[in-house]
Amino acid sequence: KDRTLTTPVAVAAVLSALLLAAAPASADPPAKAPDAARVPTAAEQFDAGVHAYKARNYEAAASHFEAADAAVPSAFALRQAIRARADAGQGSRAATLAQLALERYGSDDALSKAAHDAIDKFEPGLQKVSVSCASPCVLAIGTRSVPGDASTRWVVYLDPGKVAISASFFGGASGAPRTSAAKAGGAVEVRFDPEEKKPAAPVTP
């Protein structure tokens, strides 16, 4: 059993763990050093995730682990987020996080295994969506943002049913939302281009 989530975790210990986990393996693309000002936030969010997980509030735990990863990207926090989403029965979110993990930390053996396990378990019941953006964008599925930094390429998973995907670009531009009738085992490709902002209508005196 993973001792990370079954023993008390002090914030100071998590600080060290997150700093170590934030350093990418040699085979992965180089990453910026973590912002020291955000490390305490990451540690607090991770510690809150541990407590929520121990209380079997898996969805809340996953949200805290994702927040820790957003503050200081780390394989450590991302692996726990995948696990918590899976335990919460949120397969589409777990698989989407797993795909992000493989792209970001493909050479991390423990995280890679957890990611492949999640995808193998949930993918047959989900629709895979490969997204391309004309310039780096961030995505949202419905009203929930997809974790990860702005990118021109995304892979996300959707639960069967009618789901809306939207993209936002730098400068406040957005792409026209796409509504997908997701099917289990399906795979589609979606392209987003920033929409030009229409000039404001003239005001009649």
Side-chain angles (χ1 to χ4, degrees), residues 60-188:
S63 295
H64 286 300
F65 291 136
E66 289 173 13
D69 178 69
V72 177
S74 77
F76 191 50
L78 194 51
R79 178 158 59 97
Q80 305 306 340
I82 294 169
R83 176 182 177 183
R85 288 295 179 192
D87 288 345
Q90 298 173 335
S92 58
R93 186 77 167 188
T96 297
L97 288 170
Q99 185 65 44
L100 173 65
L102 292 174
E103 292 171 0
R104 194 196 287 173
Y105 302 110
S107 63
D108 184 297
D109 291 340
L111 181 54
S112 182
K113 182 182 184 307
H116 281 297
D117 287 348
I119 291 173
D120 290 346
K121 178 179 180 180
F122 295 113
E123 188 176 45
L126 305 171
Q127 177 162 285
K128 181 179 181 179
V129 182
S130 299
V131 178
S132 63
C133 293
S135 60
C137 71
V138 292
L139 300 181
I141 298 174
T143 58
R144 174 178 283 183
S145 62
V146 177
D149 295 329
S151 175
T152 58
R153 297 282 178 181
W154 294 83
V155 174
V156 298
Y157 289 88
L158 305 179
D159 292 305
K162 199 172 183 180
V163 185
I165 307 176
S166 57
S168 299
F169 298 84
F170 290 119
S174 61
R178 307 293 177 84
T179 300
S180 173
K183 298 179 180 179
V188 297

Side-chain angles (χ1 to χ4, degrees), residues 25-43:
S26 58
D28 291 322
K32 295 186 296 183
D35 183 347
R38 303 184 72 180
V39 172
T41 298

